[in-house]
Amino acid sequence: MSEFEDLRKRLGEVSALASTAGILEWDQQTHMPAGGAANRAAQLEVLSKITHELSVSSKTETLLAAAEKAADGLDPDSDDAAFVRVARRDFDHASKLPTELVAEIAKVTTLAHEAWAEARAASNYSKFAPCLENIVDLVRQVADHLGHSGERYDALLDQYEPGMKAADVRAMFDAIKPTSVALVKAIVERGPDAVDDSILKRDFDEAKQEAFGEAVIKELGFDFERGRQDRAVHPFCSSFTSGDVRITTRFDKNFLPMALFGTIHETGHALYEQGVARRYDGNTLGGGTSLGVHESQSRLWENLVGRSRPFWKHFYSSLQSTFPESLSDVDAERFYRAVNKVEPSLIRVEADEVTYNLHILLRFEMETDLLEGRLSVKDAPAAWNAKMQEYFGLTPPDDAQGILQDVHWSMGSLGYFPTYSLGNIISAQLFTQAQSDLGDLSGQIERGEFAPLLGWLRENIHQWGRKYTATELLQRITGKALDTAPYLQYLSAKYGDIYGL
């Protein structure tokens, strides 16, 4: 019907502008010289202003109302009905925010990224603190404009995981914490030498790491005809359409897991985006349905596949031949155990699966305190270090390994972090179902047959884009809402085996 096509055309223009801004943001983090930051901030400010004005204009509202009228009586499961439903949610959300605020955030966060990168390199929080002060103030304004029932975090989390609230996050942590804490305690009692990971800290040439990582993700299904990989200070994935999906990674020649698992993690995001139905390109239904579901894909490929024994039975001989000097005395089982060593650590993206969620809990607590004024930006490093000591028994030796390690706050992404833990839970729920549906999934992975799993994910999740909510997807696929049991069973079984518990 013309009403749907008219709205699609209008929102396609909004999408094109947003993608243009995304390309500029990608360029800033990968290739732009530092001297271009001020001009890039001005460019993104203007683009954000135009995009927002177009998305909330009276013409857009009129077209949306006409499409809603035309959709009345349609099968709610149809593409047209879903398109209108999602477009309404986006419009209502965007229309609550003043254009000036949206543009200001684009400018401030562009400059903040450069300040963060400089501060991290110098391990000097004071270089970034003024930007964070500004960002926290702007994000508070966003929350207040969007509306909430007393806790700003609810409004911000809803941007990433629609419908989820801070109380749900606390309930999630309450559900997984007892098993996780007991597991950590049992592992610690085995002693620090129960698993040796020193082999991961030998010399690994960066160029060889890069070549090996790209060979792995190509085998997993990443399409280099529709994607590319570059280097960045902090790994990320950017998608402009299903035909243009870009990932980044970073390297440490004396720590193999940094690039290897960072690459696989971002590939999980990229496989999702490359798998969205082509008919949704430039459409409101394009992209992932929520950040929790998105993170489930990255965590599934990184951990349930990439850190599994079958995975390394398949890939280890290739890795060993790539680094014969460093791995000639190491067999596949020893390597598998090394990449799964459980040990409190400073850096979130390199944390083991058992302690990882504590890193997220720390950030969630910090964000809620910052937003509600219980914690000042000035005092944040001390609070961070105190929580690291409380949860991990560690105190960061410097800001780079402490409060400056993540890029998200420079992007204004307060409210994002809980989706990592949510992704962990969803990943296990989905993987358990995939094992049931596919049969010998472990055998397929060991033989290097990744197409069945990727095909299952494409059929059940990727192709649908934003058509179904996270809860609807889980119900359709597993017959249940969010369920922590598969995740806790996975952790207990895997690490019980590794540590002989």
Side-chain angles (χ1 to χ4, degrees), residues 63-119:
L63 291 172
L64 176 57
E68 285 178 318
K69 185 176 180 181
D72 188 34
L74 285 181
D75 178 355
D77 202 39
S78 67
D79 277 3
D80 285 337
F83 163 65
V84 173
R85 192 164 57 241
V86 174
R88 167 54 71 183
R89 184 185 189 280
D90 289 350
F91 179 86
D92 288 347
H93 178 280
S95 62
K96 292 177 182 178
L97 300 176
T99 296
E100 295 75 16
L101 177 60
V102 173
E104 179 70 8
I105 290 172
K107 179 181 72 174
V108 167
T109 54
T110 303
L111 295 172
H113 179 270
E114 298 303 313
W116 167 78
E118 181 183 347

Side-chain angles (χ1 to χ4, degrees), residues 189-467:
E189 288 174 354
R190 288 289 186 268
D193 298 326
V195 170
D196 175 25
D197 67 342
S198 63
I199 59 175
L200 304 175
K201 301 169 186 176
R202 297 174 178 178
D203 185 63
F204 298 95
D205 178 77
E206 287 188 12
K208 291 181 179 180
Q209 286 190 54
E210 187 170 22
F212 178 79
E214 291 190 355
V216 167
I217 64 175
K218 185 176 182 179
E219 198 166 333
L220 295 183
F222 182 79
D223 184 354
F224 278 94
E225 292 297 314
R226 298 187 293 138
R228 57 178 290 138
Q229 178 173 257
D230 294 271
R231 298 189 182 205
V233 177
H234 194 289
F236 65 95
C237 173
S238 296
S239 176
F240 311 117
T241 67
S242 63
D244 186 357
V245 182
R246 310 180 190 190
I247 61 174
T248 66
T249 193
R250 60 187 179 190
F251 296 88
D252 183 336
K253 74 181 188 70
N254 298 122
F255 189 61
L256 182 62
M258 176 184 284
L260 179 58
F261 292 107
T263 295
I264 297 173
H265 178 98
E266 299 306 331
T267 295
H269 286 301
L271 292 174
Y272 189 175
E273 294 289 343
Q274 289 185 337
V276 175
R278 289 295 186 96
R279 67 182 182 274
Y280 295 156
D281 278 351
N283 183 312
T284 298
L285 295 181
T289 189
S290 78
L291 267 296
V293 175
H294 234 303
E295 293 300 340
S296 79
Q297 301 306 284
S298 59
R299 300 295 285 174
L300 183 151
W301 286 102
E302 176 191 358
N303 294 325
L304 285 88
V305 177
R307 294 184 193 269
S308 72
R309 185 179 277 118
F311 184 87
W312 287 110
K313 284 184 177 180
H314 173 67
F315 276 114
Y316 188 68
S317 60
S318 177
L319 180 69
Q320 194 175 46
S321 64
T322 302
F323 300 105
E325 300 87 356
S326 298
L327 297 175
S328 60
D329 62 334
V330 181
D331 62 23
E333 179 64 19
R334 185 181 174 193
F335 185 83
Y336 161 71
R337 289 167 62 85
V339 298
N340 286 292
K341 182 180 178 68
V342 174
E343 184 176 46
S345 58
L346 294 169
I347 307 301
R348 173 188 63 84
V349 297
E350 292 151 21
D352 61 81
E353 292 180 89
V354 181
T355 63
Y356 183 91
N357 293 309
L358 290 175
H359 286 271
I360 304 305
L361 178 60
L362 180 155
R363 287 154 176 77
F364 169 65
E365 293 176 344
M366 290 278 293
E367 289 183 344
T368 54
D369 286 346
L370 283 167
L371 287 168
E372 300 305 333
R374 295 186 294 267
L375 174 66
S376 69
V377 168
K378 177 183 177 182
D379 295 333
W384 180 288
N385 292 349
K387 286 182 180 294
M388 283 297 298
Q389 185 59 231
E390 177 186 354
Y391 293 149
F392 300 99
L394 302 171
T395 299
D398 52 45
D399 292 337
Q401 297 178 77
I403 196 168
L404 290 175
Q405 66 182 266
D406 289 310
V407 70
H408 303 71
W409 289 350
S410 73
M411 300 162 61
S413 300
L414 280 78
Y416 180 107
F417 279 113
T419 64
Y420 284 109
S421 288
L422 184 60
N424 284 336
I425 295 168
I426 296 174
S427 70
Q429 190 171 347
L430 293 173
F431 196 77
T432 299
Q433 187 65 48
Q435 287 176 312
S436 175
D437 292 349
L438 295 174
D440 185 25
L441 182 53
S442 293
Q444 292 165 3
I445 293 172
E446 186 174 338
R447 294 188 296 272
E449 298 169 4
F450 300 103
L453 176 58
L454 180 57
W456 186 90
L457 294 169
R458 289 264 157 91
E459 179 183 352
N460 289 287
I461 301 167
H462 301 175
Q463 67 164 318
W464 302 117
R466 299 175 69 200
K467 182 173 181 176

